[in-house]
Amino acid sequence: MAFPAQIAIINIDRPRNESHDMTLVRRFHLARPEISKIVLINSGDREVVVHAFRSGARGLFCFADYPFRLLCKCILSVHQGQVWANSEQLQYLIEAIAQVPSLRVVNASGLKLLTPREEQVVALVADGLSNREIAQELGLSEHTVKKYLFRIFDKLGISSRVELVLYAFSHGGAREAEWVAGASA
């Protein structure tokens, strides 16, 4: 008798591209959201921690910080619906929730060029989400996300997602969170 998987342990504890590995975690999460994910990490670096939880992890475990016997406790805790993270990692998450990427683009008169919803789309594109993931995050259709992107490209005078990400990183910063996923513009 086969039992469905309830927990997945994903090892990104390699000197590879952790960002690429988190993309795999996110894709796995979108394909199988019912399976809780524990990500094995090499370090408790803020960016890695935040990206892991944004990608769908329910627990993080670092062998450099904790003995193997605690992995069993981590698995049990996540299986029971809890989140497994240490105090420092939780602080990173609280800080990340309190701030979102910002893109404040104004014209020569100081008027904003992008609507708040367009700024949300830019922030999510810069965070590496696909159109489908952005649509799910904001409660929109993929078609609507594409329409937003075309308007953004037109307003900013750019023609690709790569240019948009570069533009966002060169013109953005962080600001206090002022929107909730799925909120209307």
Side-chain angles (χ1 to χ4, degrees):
M1 179 173 177
F3 295 99
Q6 297 176 353
I7 301 270
I9 299 174
I10 304 165
N11 184 13
I12 65 162
D13 188 17
R14 305 184 288 280
R16 269 191 36 194
N17 182 353
E18 285 180 338
S19 174
H20 173 70
D21 290 338
M22 291 302 175
T23 300
L24 296 175
V25 173
R26 181 183 295 279
R27 287 183 181 160
F28 179 56
H29 179 68
L30 290 172
R32 300 296 303 269
E34 73 281 5
I35 297 176
S36 297
K37 290 103 187 134
I38 297 171
V39 177
L40 303 180
I41 58 175
N42 192 25
S43 71
D45 176 76
R46 181 185 195 281
E47 186 176 322
V48 171
V49 169
V50 172
H51 203 74
F53 280 104
R54 280 186 178 156
S55 298
R58 295 286 297 174
L60 294 181
F61 192 86
C62 181
F63 284 111
D65 295 337
Y66 300 104
F68 176 77
R69 65 180 171 73
L70 277 183
L71 178 59
C72 298
K73 187 174 180 181
C74 170
I75 293 168
L76 183 61
S77 295
V78 170
H79 182 262
Q80 293 172 342
Q82 299 172 18
V83 172
W84 183 273
N86 65 30
S87 296
E88 182 180 34
Q89 294 165 344
L90 288 175
Q91 185 62 38
Y92 294 154
L93 294 175
I94 290 168
E95 291 168 2
I97 289 169
Q99 293 188 332
V100 293
S102 172
L103 182 66
R104 300 287 185 181
V105 181
V106 295
N107 64 14
S109 304
L111 299 173
K112 288 175 50 174
L113 293 177
L114 300 180
T115 67
R117 178 63 100 187
E118 289 168 341
E119 289 178 356
Q120 291 173 347
V121 171
V122 171
L124 293 171
V125 168
D127 203 26
L129 275 69
S130 68
N131 287 0
R132 175 174 288 155
E133 293 166 331
I134 293 169
Q136 290 174 342
E137 182 83 14
L138 298 177
L140 303 171
S141 71
E142 279 187 72
H143 179 72
T144 301
V145 171
K146 287 179 186 178
K147 286 171 53 177
Y148 274 118
L149 285 171
F150 285 127
R151 282 201 308 255
I152 292 165
F153 290 172
D154 187 51
K155 288 180 177 182
L156 301 180
I158 58 177
S159 59
S160 72
R161 290 175 80 91
V162 172
E163 286 180 86
L164 181 59
V165 171
L166 293 173
Y167 192 97
F169 282 116
S170 65
H171 291 83
R175 69 171 194 261
E176 290 301 309
E178 58 188 46
W179 57 273
V180 178
S184 56

